[in-house]
Amino acid sequence: MLKPLEESDLKLILPWRNAPTVRQAMFTQHEISWDEHQAWFRRVQSDESKRWFLYLNQNNEASGVVYFTDLDAAQSIAFWGFYASPDAISGTGLRMSLDALDKAFNELGLEKLNADVLGTNSRSLDMHKKVGFAEEGFFREYFFDGEKRVDVIRLGMLSSEWPQNRVLLVSRIADIAR
């Protein structure tokens, strides 16, 4: 389940966001201070083009963050991203994706959802493809990670693809539960 991110969630999610495994997969890779985190939250709260959610797992425990950015109501498109708590149980990414994609296509009414993934983030690339995203672009050496330039892969999913992809994703999640 996704619930809108609240100020009371900030202390919970900052350690997740600052975990080395999460930071290395993000476009903002430095360790985020408490003041910076609070300022970020104030900015996103007043920005209609962004929606941030806390993911609650099947036991109603907070275990990840899902966000939609660059929401364009006129075009019905957006970008999305997510990260799980470093101690989240196996399968959290797929479960979080199910809730996020339902939110994107069924509640937000998007026609297209995009993702930009660092080429060094093979886990995220694999997961996007497992849930039905198609690779649409390849930006060579697009991002400097502080040491080297890395490629960025653009992925996308259309709302018309979601019903069939949803069936496959629900089946994958059922396989994990067995």
Side-chain angles (χ1 to χ4, degrees):
M1 177 176 87
L2 299 179
K3 76 169 198 73
L5 193 64
E6 299 173 358
E7 190 169 3
S8 60
D9 300 320
L10 294 181
K11 286 187 179 177
L12 173 68
I13 68 168
L14 182 60
W16 300 350
R17 179 57 181 81
N18 278 333
T21 55
V22 172
R23 278 190 296 130
Q24 74 184 12
M26 304 298 264
F27 286 89
T28 302
Q29 296 188 336
H30 69 276
E31 192 162 325
I32 297 166
S33 72
W34 175 245
D35 289 341
E36 183 181 2
H37 193 51
Q38 288 179 303
W40 159 81
F41 184 72
R42 285 190 299 275
R43 282 192 312 277
V44 299
Q45 287 301 102
S46 62
D47 187 339
E48 290 295 317
S49 72
K50 295 175 175 42
R51 305 266 169 77
W52 287 75
F53 299 92
L54 186 66
Y55 170 72
L56 304 175
N57 67 20
Q58 60 272 27
N59 298 321
N60 210 35
E61 300 164 335
S63 57
V65 173
V66 170
Y67 51 93
F68 300 98
T69 61
D70 299 319
L71 281 158
D72 182 334
Q75 294 294 319
S76 299
I77 60 173
F79 282 80
W80 86 304
F82 61 92
Y83 56 91
S85 158
D87 60 351
I89 61 172
S90 179
T92 295
L94 292 177
R95 289 182 179 96
M96 202 168 15
S97 295
L98 177 63
D99 288 355
L101 296 170
D102 274 344
K103 172 81 67 185
F105 296 119
N106 300 335
E107 291 180 41
L108 298 176
L110 297 178
E111 292 296 323
K112 173 127 191 242
L113 188 61
N114 299 299
D116 281 345
V117 178
L118 296 175
T120 53
N121 190 352
S122 59
R123 287 184 64 199
S124 183
L125 282 170
D126 290 345
M127 202 211 67
H128 275 86
K129 290 176 182 178
K130 278 183 188 174
V131 303
F133 279 81
E135 195 170 312
E136 296 184 338
F138 187 82
F139 302 93
R140 297 177 306 148
E141 297 184 10
Y142 191 77
F143 177 74
F144 182 67
D145 71 1
E147 295 179 15
K148 64 187 176 314
R149 298 206 66 81
V150 297
D151 302 330
V152 171
I153 290 87
R154 168 79 45 90
L155 300 119
M157 185 187 300
L158 303 174
S159 64
S160 60
E161 298 166 334
W162 176 231
Q164 182 177 355
N165 290 337
R166 189 182 195 286
V167 169
L168 296 172
L169 179 53
V170 167
S171 175
R172 286 183 189 274
I173 291 169
D175 288 345
I176 292 170
R178 290 183 199 144

